[in-house]
Amino acid sequence: MQVFADGAQLGHSPQFFLQRGQVRRNFEVPERAGSLLAAVQHMKLPLHAPSPIEPSAIAKVHAPDYVEFLSTAMIGWNALPDHGPEAVPNLHPTPEMLAQGAILPNSIIGAVGWYAADTACPIGPGTWEAVHGAAACAISAANLAAKGESAYALCRPPGHHAYAARAGGHCYVNNSALAAQSLLEHGAKRVATIDIDAHHGNGTQGIFWDRGDVFTASVHGDPDGYYPWYVGRAHETGAGAGEGCNLNLPLARGSGDEAWLAAIDKAIEATRRFGADALVVPLGFDASEHEPLSFLSVTANGFARAGEKLRALGLPTVLVQEGGYNVELLGDLLESFLGGWGH
Ligand SMILES: [Zn+2]
């Protein structure tokens, strides 16, 4: 298993996080990458810097104006009088406003709300460089997988909640979607994503919603009790050419290894039926029983078995790091998963 990581990813250190009316330290800390890197070194896996990319590479799955916003937001924010250290939205255009002609205003405050789904994705010093580096890792890993060798992109910040033109849930650029798109551009005809992060991969679903060349499956905590709340249910199956190409497998709070692995089995069966010739695994470890905001209760052995099952699909695969916020355990869980994979 070849590994891609970028040093710029450590420069993103979001502070703001709002939870149940309380401002808390953001969970998406640079130490997460340190824990994962330590595991990569412990396993003696080959570690590479990604090949450089241009912002236009990110625009393969994102709106160009959104990419431009991400790369320049700090300039506008820092020009505001009496501004805080990070760009955080304090309002969003509502469905009523949008139905009545709302437009993107010429204002950084308006733009931050326009391009963000929630307050969990502050933009601060180093955010764009980290986002850009994570995207480069996903693309480099996909380039290698396109040659038949599976690879792990150690992406931070994560990406699977990012839509084509919207950040959300610690995510800015959808690294997993970029990996899937890269595989297609390198000759894959049909790509599947099997998202095993504890949260619904709503951004990936959104990006490929009406496309028939990417099958998106997600195994996650029931959105009636867990982020992203509004989507992630079984009735969301895609539209147009993508009808039937999205599979949501929500699980009840406290679901342990057996229910989680059974859902992964369903996603694997559906991937086979779809006829995918390449695979992307948005790989979060927040389904762990030891996760700070625990919803599912998956053991380290469960992650090992998931690795074994996904490897058995026999497809060129890009593993893309998503969530998981227990810094002490993240590296161990990566080792468990890759141990099952048979790295
Ligand atoms: Zn997550």
Side-chain angles (χ1 to χ4, degrees):
M1 180 69 66
Q2 307 287 319
V3 179
F4 292 89
D6 187 304
Q9 294 171 233
L10 300 173
H12 169 60
S13 185
Q15 302 295 309
F16 187 88
F17 188 61
L18 185 62
Q19 185 190 29
R20 298 173 201 150
Q22 300 184 78
V23 177
R24 298 188 167 175
R25 171 82 202 275
N26 197 295
F27 285 99
E28 212 285 279
V29 295
E31 292 78 9
R32 294 179 62 248
S35 179
L36 294 163
L37 272 174
V40 166
Q41 282 156 357
H42 184 242
M43 287 182 280
K44 297 186 167 51
L45 299 179
L47 177 62
H48 313 278
S51 301
I53 59 164
E54 295 296 322
S56 57
I58 297 175
K60 295 276 177 69
V61 298
H62 288 282
D65 60 303
Y66 173 63
V67 179
E68 172 76 11
F69 161 77
L70 287 176
S71 67
T72 59
M74 278 314 282
I75 298 169
W77 191 259
N78 287 334
L80 285 175
D82 196 26
H83 62 85
E86 300 175 313
V88 181
N90 58 297
L91 82 169
H92 306 277
T94 65
E96 295 85 351
M97 292 177 181
L98 292 166
Q100 294 167 19
I103 61 164
L104 173 64
N106 184 20
S107 145
I108 185 64
I109 291 176
V112 169
W114 183 269
Y115 288 121
D118 53 55
T119 54
C121 43
I123 299 173
T127 296
W128 166 246
E129 290 76 10
V131 164
H132 190 266
C137 288
I139 291 170
S140 281
N143 290 347
L144 195 61
K147 296 175 188 153
E149 187 171 1
S150 294
Y152 167 58
L154 199 168
C155 293
R156 181 185 169 270
H160 72 149
H161 297 309
Y163 286 87
R166 198 147 357 263
H170 308 311
C171 300
Y172 307 81
V173 159
N174 196 315
N175 306 307
S176 292
L178 277 176
Q181 184 66 33
S182 296
L183 287 165
L184 289 169
E185 288 176 8
H186 283 90
K189 297 282 181 279
R190 291 160 86 81
V191 176
T193 69
I194 301 180
D195 187 324
I196 63 168
D197 186 280
H199 300 93
H200 174 225
N202 58 315
T204 319
Q205 169 178 307
I207 286 171
F208 297 116
W209 181 248
D210 57 3
R211 284 175 52 172
D213 53 352
V214 179
F215 176 72
T216 47
S218 180
V219 177
H220 51 263
D222 186 337
D224 275 341
Y226 207 41
Y227 187 93
W229 307 102
Y230 302 112
V231 287
R233 296 178 175 82
H235 71 262
E236 300 153 24
T237 55
E243 179 59 55
C245 295
N246 187 69
L247 176 65
N248 286 334
L249 297 157
L251 295 171
R253 182 181 291 276
S255 290
D257 287 1
E258 299 313 318
W260 189 68
L261 291 164
I264 290 173
D265 279 338
K266 281 186 192 166
I268 287 172
E269 285 161 22
T271 294
R272 284 209 180 94
R273 282 198 301 274
F274 177 71
D277 47 14
L279 176 68
V280 176
V281 179
L283 177 62
F285 293 113
D286 41 8
S288 163
E289 58 185 340
H290 302 300
E291 178 67 13
L293 302 178
S294 175
F295 191 92
L296 304 176
S297 298
V298 175
T299 67
N301 183 53
F303 281 102
R305 290 167 65 193
E308 193 179 347
K309 284 172 181 293
L310 290 162
R311 170 71 182 270
L313 255 173
L315 297 174
T317 302
V318 187
L319 306 174
V320 179
Q321 184 62 47
E322 297 289 354
Y325 303 95
N326 185 327
V327 171
E328 283 71 33
L329 273 185
L330 263 185
D332 292 347
L333 295 173
L334 176 63
E335 288 204 41
S336 296
F337 181 88
L338 291 180
W341 184 276
H343 64 82

Short mmCIF file of all heavy atoms in Angstrom, two decimals, residues 9-10 12-15 25-35 156 170 324-327 330:
data_model
loop_
_atom_site.label_atom_id
_atom_site.label_comp_id
_atom_site.label_asym_id
_atom_site.label_seq_id
_atom_site.Cartn_x
_atom_site.Cartn_y
_atom_site.Cartn_z
N GLN A 9 -0.82 20.02 5.15
CA GLN A 9 -2.05 19.64 5.84
C GLN A 9 -1.96 19.92 7.35
O GLN A 9 -2.98 20.03 8.01
CB GLN A 9 -2.34 18.15 5.60
CG GLN A 9 -2.66 17.87 4.13
CD GLN A 9 -2.74 16.40 3.81
OE1 GLN A 9 -2.10 15.92 2.90
NE2 GLN A 9 -3.52 15.68 4.58
N LEU A 10 -0.75 20.03 7.87
CA LEU A 10 -0.59 20.29 9.30
C LEU A 10 -0.81 21.76 9.63
O LEU A 10 -0.99 22.12 10.79
CB LEU A 10 0.81 19.86 9.75
CG LEU A 10 1.13 18.37 9.53
CD1 LEU A 10 2.59 18.09 9.84
CD2 LEU A 10 0.22 17.50 10.41
N HIS A 12 -3.35 23.62 8.85
CA HIS A 12 -4.78 23.93 9.04
C HIS A 12 -5.16 23.54 10.46
O HIS A 12 -5.10 22.37 10.83
CB HIS A 12 -5.58 23.13 8.02
CG HIS A 12 -7.07 23.13 8.22
ND1 HIS A 12 -7.82 24.29 8.22
CD2 HIS A 12 -7.94 22.11 8.42
CE1 HIS A 12 -9.10 23.97 8.41
NE2 HIS A 12 -9.19 22.66 8.53
N SER A 13 -5.53 24.54 11.25
CA SER A 13 -5.84 24.25 12.66
C SER A 13 -7.11 25.00 13.07
O SER A 13 -7.07 26.00 13.80
CB SER A 13 -4.66 24.66 13.55
OG SER A 13 -4.90 24.29 14.89
N PRO A 14 -8.26 24.53 12.60
CA PRO A 14 -9.51 25.23 12.91
C PRO A 14 -9.79 25.24 14.41
O PRO A 14 -9.52 24.26 15.09
CB PRO A 14 -10.57 24.41 12.15
CG PRO A 14 -9.97 23.05 11.99
CD PRO A 14 -8.49 23.27 11.86
N GLN A 15 -10.29 26.35 14.87
CA GLN A 15 -10.55 26.50 16.31
C GLN A 15 -12.05 26.44 16.62
O GLN A 15 -12.47 25.79 17.55
CB GLN A 15 -10.00 27.85 16.79
CG GLN A 15 -8.51 28.01 16.55
CD GLN A 15 -7.69 27.01 17.35
OE1 GLN A 15 -7.86 26.89 18.56
NE2 GLN A 15 -6.80 26.29 16.69
N ARG A 25 -13.62 23.76 21.25
CA ARG A 25 -12.47 23.57 20.37
C ARG A 25 -12.86 22.60 19.26
O ARG A 25 -13.49 21.57 19.52
CB ARG A 25 -11.30 23.00 21.18
CG ARG A 25 -10.10 22.56 20.34
CD ARG A 25 -9.19 23.72 19.95
NE ARG A 25 -8.38 23.44 18.78
CZ ARG A 25 -7.21 22.80 18.78
NH1 ARG A 25 -6.71 22.38 19.91
NH2 ARG A 25 -6.54 22.61 17.65
N ASN A 26 -12.51 22.95 18.05
CA ASN A 26 -12.81 22.10 16.90
C ASN A 26 -12.12 20.74 17.04
O ASN A 26 -10.97 20.66 17.47
CB ASN A 26 -12.34 22.82 15.63
CG ASN A 26 -12.95 22.25 14.38
OD1 ASN A 26 -12.70 21.11 14.03
ND2 ASN A 26 -13.76 23.05 13.69
N PHE A 27 -12.83 19.67 16.69
CA PHE A 27 -12.28 18.32 16.83
C PHE A 27 -11.25 17.99 15.74
O PHE A 27 -10.48 17.04 15.88
CB PHE A 27 -13.41 17.27 16.69
CG PHE A 27 -14.28 17.17 17.89
CD1 PHE A 27 -15.51 17.82 17.92
CD2 PHE A 27 -13.92 16.41 18.99
CE1 PHE A 27 -16.34 17.72 19.03
CE2 PHE A 27 -14.74 16.31 20.10
CZ PHE A 27 -15.95 16.97 20.12
N GLU A 28 -11.30 18.75 14.64
CA GLU A 28 -10.49 18.37 13.48
C GLU A 28 -9.10 18.99 13.61
O GLU A 28 -8.78 19.97 12.96
CB GLU A 28 -11.22 18.82 12.20
CG GLU A 28 -10.98 17.92 11.01
CD GLU A 28 -9.60 18.10 10.42
OE1 GLU A 28 -9.42 19.07 9.65
OE2 GLU A 28 -8.72 17.29 10.74
N VAL A 29 -8.30 18.39 14.48
CA VAL A 29 -7.00 18.97 14.88
C VAL A 29 -5.85 18.39 14.05
O VAL A 29 -5.93 17.25 13.57
CB VAL A 29 -6.74 18.73 16.38
CG1 VAL A 29 -7.76 19.47 17.23
CG2 VAL A 29 -6.79 17.23 16.70
N PRO A 30 -4.75 19.15 13.91
CA PRO A 30 -3.59 18.64 13.14
C PRO A 30 -3.03 17.34 13.71
O PRO A 30 -2.48 16.53 12.95
CB PRO A 30 -2.56 19.78 13.27
CG PRO A 30 -3.35 20.99 13.59
CD PRO A 30 -4.55 20.54 14.36
N GLU A 31 -3.19 17.13 15.01
CA GLU A 31 -2.65 15.90 15.63
C GLU A 31 -3.26 14.64 15.04
O GLU A 31 -2.68 13.55 15.14
CB GLU A 31 -2.86 15.93 17.14
CG GLU A 31 -2.05 16.98 17.88
CD GLU A 31 -2.62 18.40 17.77
OE1 GLU A 31 -3.76 18.56 17.26
OE2 GLU A 31 -1.91 19.35 18.17
N ARG A 32 -4.43 14.77 14.43
CA ARG A 32 -5.05 13.61 13.77
C ARG A 32 -4.09 13.06 12.70
O ARG A 32 -3.86 11.85 12.60
CB ARG A 32 -6.38 13.99 13.11
CG ARG A 32 -7.47 14.40 14.09
CD ARG A 32 -8.76 14.78 13.35
NE ARG A 32 -9.28 13.67 12.60
CZ ARG A 32 -9.32 13.62 11.28
NH1 ARG A 32 -8.91 14.63 10.55
NH2 ARG A 32 -9.80 12.55 10.69
N ALA A 33 -3.56 13.97 11.90
CA ALA A 33 -2.63 13.53 10.84
C ALA A 33 -1.37 12.93 11.44
O ALA A 33 -0.83 11.95 10.92
CB ALA A 33 -2.29 14.71 9.93
N GLY A 34 -0.92 13.50 12.57
CA GLY A 34 0.28 12.97 13.23
C GLY A 34 0.07 11.53 13.67
O GLY A 34 0.96 10.67 13.51
N SER A 35 -1.09 11.23 14.21
CA SER A 35 -1.40 9.88 14.67
C SER A 35 -1.42 8.89 13.50
O SER A 35 -0.87 7.78 13.58
CB SER A 35 -2.76 9.90 15.38
OG SER A 35 -3.14 8.62 15.82
N ARG A 156 -6.18 15.42 5.06
CA ARG A 156 -6.67 16.26 6.15
C ARG A 156 -6.61 17.70 5.66
O ARG A 156 -5.53 18.13 5.25
CB ARG A 156 -5.83 16.06 7.41
CG ARG A 156 -6.34 16.89 8.54
CD ARG A 156 -5.56 16.91 9.80
NE ARG A 156 -6.17 17.99 10.56
CZ ARG A 156 -5.77 19.26 10.49
NH1 ARG A 156 -4.74 19.61 9.74
NH2 ARG A 156 -6.40 20.20 11.16
N HIS A 170 -16.44 20.07 8.67
CA HIS A 170 -14.96 19.97 8.64
C HIS A 170 -14.40 19.80 7.23
O HIS A 170 -13.20 19.63 7.06
CB HIS A 170 -14.43 18.79 9.49
CG HIS A 170 -14.92 18.73 10.90
ND1 HIS A 170 -14.88 19.82 11.75
CD2 HIS A 170 -15.44 17.71 11.63
CE1 HIS A 170 -15.36 19.46 12.93
NE2 HIS A 170 -15.72 18.20 12.88
N GLY A 324 -12.86 10.72 12.04
CA GLY A 324 -12.27 9.96 13.12
C GLY A 324 -11.51 10.93 14.00
O GLY A 324 -10.56 11.56 13.52
N TYR A 325 -11.95 11.10 15.24
CA TYR A 325 -11.47 12.23 16.04
C TYR A 325 -10.87 11.81 17.39
O TYR A 325 -10.59 12.66 18.22
CB TYR A 325 -12.61 13.25 16.19
CG TYR A 325 -13.07 13.68 14.81
CD1 TYR A 325 -14.16 13.06 14.19
CD2 TYR A 325 -12.34 14.60 14.08
CE1 TYR A 325 -14.52 13.38 12.89
CE2 TYR A 325 -12.70 14.93 12.78
CZ TYR A 325 -13.79 14.32 12.19
OH TYR A 325 -14.12 14.64 10.91
N ASN A 326 -10.69 10.51 17.59
CA ASN A 326 -9.98 10.06 18.78
C ASN A 326 -8.49 9.99 18.41
O ASN A 326 -8.01 9.01 17.85
CB ASN A 326 -10.50 8.68 19.21
CG ASN A 326 -9.87 8.23 20.51
OD1 ASN A 326 -8.70 8.53 20.77
ND2 ASN A 326 -10.63 7.52 21.32
N VAL A 327 -7.79 11.07 18.70
CA VAL A 327 -6.41 11.22 18.22
C VAL A 327 -5.53 10.07 18.70
O VAL A 327 -4.70 9.55 17.94
CB VAL A 327 -5.83 12.58 18.68
CG1 VAL A 327 -4.35 12.67 18.38
CG2 VAL A 327 -6.58 13.72 17.99
N LEU A 330 -6.54 6.83 16.50
CA LEU A 330 -6.67 6.86 15.03
C LEU A 330 -5.64 5.98 14.34
O LEU A 330 -5.96 5.21 13.43
CB LEU A 330 -6.49 8.30 14.53
CG LEU A 330 -7.74 9.12 14.27
CD1 LEU A 330 -7.33 10.46 13.66
CD2 LEU A 330 -8.70 8.39 13.35
#
